[in-house]
Amino acid sequence: MDTLFRLDILAEEADFDLLAGHLALHAVYGWEEESLPTGQMLFRLHCEQEDWLVQLQNTLWAVAPAARYVLERVEAQDWLAAWRQFFTPVPCGSRFVVLPPWLADTKDFPGRTPILIEPKSAFGTGHHATTALCLSVVSELLDSGRIRAGQSFLDLGTGSGVLGIGCCKSGLHGLGLDIDPLAVGNAVENRALNKVEGFELATGSVDGAAGRCFDLVLANILARPLTEMAPQIRAAVAEEGCLVLSGLLEIQAAGVIAAYRTEGLPEPRSVLQGEWCALVWE
Ligand code: SAM
C-alpha cells in the first residue's frame, strides 16, 4: 500500500482568496476545502510525494505566513475497502434492499428484492431518505394490490435507475428519464447489472413522456421542478393511476400539493422520513 502525506492549511478569512489562488496554480490535482465554525478555512491536500508537499508548503508560506501549516504522514489503509464501507445495504420498505454489486451474493436479506446499484455520481444508492421513501411507497402499493405486475411506470428523474429497477423486478415495465446524461449512463449500467427487461431509458425531462400515460408515475426530483411540471406530470398519470412525488421537504409540501390541486387532483397522503416528505395519490 502506498504511503500518503497530508498537508493541512488553516487560514483566516484575509488569506482565503490568496491561498485558493495559489492552490489553483500549483495544486492542479485539487484539494478539499472546509469552512470551520471558527470562521477559518481548512485547505487539505493529499499526495504520495512528501517532497512535493514540502515545496508547496514553502511556496504558500511565502505568500501567507500567518496561516498554520501541518504536514503529516497518513496511516496506510486500504482506500478501496474504506470507500466500500460507506456503501452499506439499505433495506427499503417491506420489499426491497439496495445493494452495491460486491454484496450481490449476500444472504442477509431473505425475501427482499435486491436492487444492485454501482455507486457513481448519479443519485440513488438508497442512502437518501427520498429514495427510501419512494421504494417504501412502491412496496405498499404492491402489497395492497394498487399496483401490480404487468402495469407501466414512469420514473422521472431516474438518477441511478434505482426506482425503475425496483419496479421492473416487481413485474412492471416502463420509462426512466433524466436530464443528466451521466445519470442515464449509470442507469443503463445498473439496468444491465440487474438483468432487468422492459426498462426504457432516455436523457430528457417530462417532455420525453409526452402523449403517454402510465399506471404509476414516480418523480423524486425537487419541490420547484415538481411544481413547475405539474400539468405535464399530471397528464402522464393514467386514469386510475398512482402518482408519487418526492424530493421535497415537509415544509414545501403545501406548495406542491396546491400545484397538483390546480390540476384537479385531490389531497394526497403524505409519508415522512425525517424532514423529507413523499406525496402519494393512489
Ligand atoms: N430516482 C432516483 C432516486 O429516487 O434515488 C434519483 C432521484 S434524484 C433526487 C433526482 C434526479 O432528477 C437527478 O438525477 C436529476 O438529474 C434529475 N432531474 C432534475 N430535474 C429534472 C427534470 N426536470 N427532469 C428530469 N430529471 C430531472
Side-chain angles (χ1 to χ4, degrees):
M1 190 73 44
D2 291 326
T3 303
L4 267 189
F5 295 90
R6 177 169 60 214
L7 175 62
D8 278 348
I9 308 159
L10 199 59
E12 300 296 334
E13 193 179 351
D15 284 333
F16 288 179
D17 290 346
L18 196 60
L19 283 165
H22 276 76
L23 284 168
L25 285 177
H26 298 289
V28 289
Y29 296 113
W31 62 92
E32 297 164 43
E33 284 182 19
E34 188 184 348
S35 302
L36 302 179
T38 55
Q40 294 165 302
M41 179 73 83
L42 174 67
F43 296 92
R44 172 166 285 180
L45 297 99
H46 287 97
C47 183
E48 287 173 12
Q49 284 133 23
E50 188 178 17
D51 293 355
W52 184 81
L53 280 178
V54 171
Q55 214 176 356
L56 180 69
Q57 179 178 326
N58 292 339
T59 306
L60 298 176
W61 184 81
V63 294
R68 189 164 160 249
Y69 299 84
V70 180
L71 177 56
E72 58 192 357
R73 178 190 295 263
V74 181
E75 281 303 315
Q77 61 169 306
D78 184 342
W79 297 107
L80 182 60
W83 178 78
R84 285 184 160 193
Q85 263 178 14
F86 180 74
F87 294 103
T88 48
V90 192
C92 293
S94 59
R95 292 194 170 228
F96 302 102
V97 57
V98 186
L99 296 165
W102 56 89
L103 294 179
D105 295 329
T106 180
K107 301 277 184 280
D108 288 350
F109 303 93
R112 285 185 178 269
T113 302
I115 303 174
L116 301 176
I117 296 296
E118 182 71 64
K120 290 203 169 168
S121 62
F123 189 107
T125 56
H127 290 82
H128 197 269
T130 57
T131 312
L133 274 170
C134 288
L135 285 174
S136 170
V137 172
V138 171
S139 295
E140 286 171 13
L141 295 173
L142 286 163
D143 286 346
S144 67
R146 188 64 187 80
I147 56 169
R148 53 193 178 277
Q151 291 191 321
S152 61
F153 71 85
L154 171 64
D155 176 9
L156 187 61
T158 193
S160 65
V162 60
L163 305 181
I165 291 167
C167 288
C168 286
K169 286 198 163 183
S170 307
L172 286 83
H173 59 274
L175 169 65
L177 294 168
D178 203 296
I179 51 171
D180 176 0
L182 287 177
V184 176
N186 191 202
V188 167
E189 194 178 340
N190 289 322
R191 178 178 63 184
L193 198 61
N194 287 275
K195 301 185 177 67
V196 290
E197 290 184 355
F199 188 15
E200 196 186 330
L201 283 161
T203 303
S205 188
V206 70
D207 295 347
R212 293 171 68 178
C213 281
F214 303 83
D215 298 306
L216 170 65
V217 174
L218 299 162
N220 178 13
I221 307 187
L222 285 171
R224 191 165 166 186
L226 290 174
T227 305
E228 289 170 355
M229 292 189 284
Q232 297 94 321
I233 291 179
R234 167 70 185 97
V237 186
E239 212 173 309
E240 306 288 311
C242 299
L243 171 62
V244 181
L245 302 180
S246 189
L248 51 136
L249 296 167
E250 189 186 359
I251 52 168
Q252 298 171 316
V256 177
I257 293 170
Y260 286 78
R261 195 182 300 123
T262 307
E263 299 306 317
L265 291 187
E267 281 300 296
R269 176 164 68 91
S270 298
V271 189
L272 303 177
Q273 186 170 323
E275 62 193 337
W276 295 97
C277 176
L279 301 174
V280 188
W281 286 268
E282 50 197 306

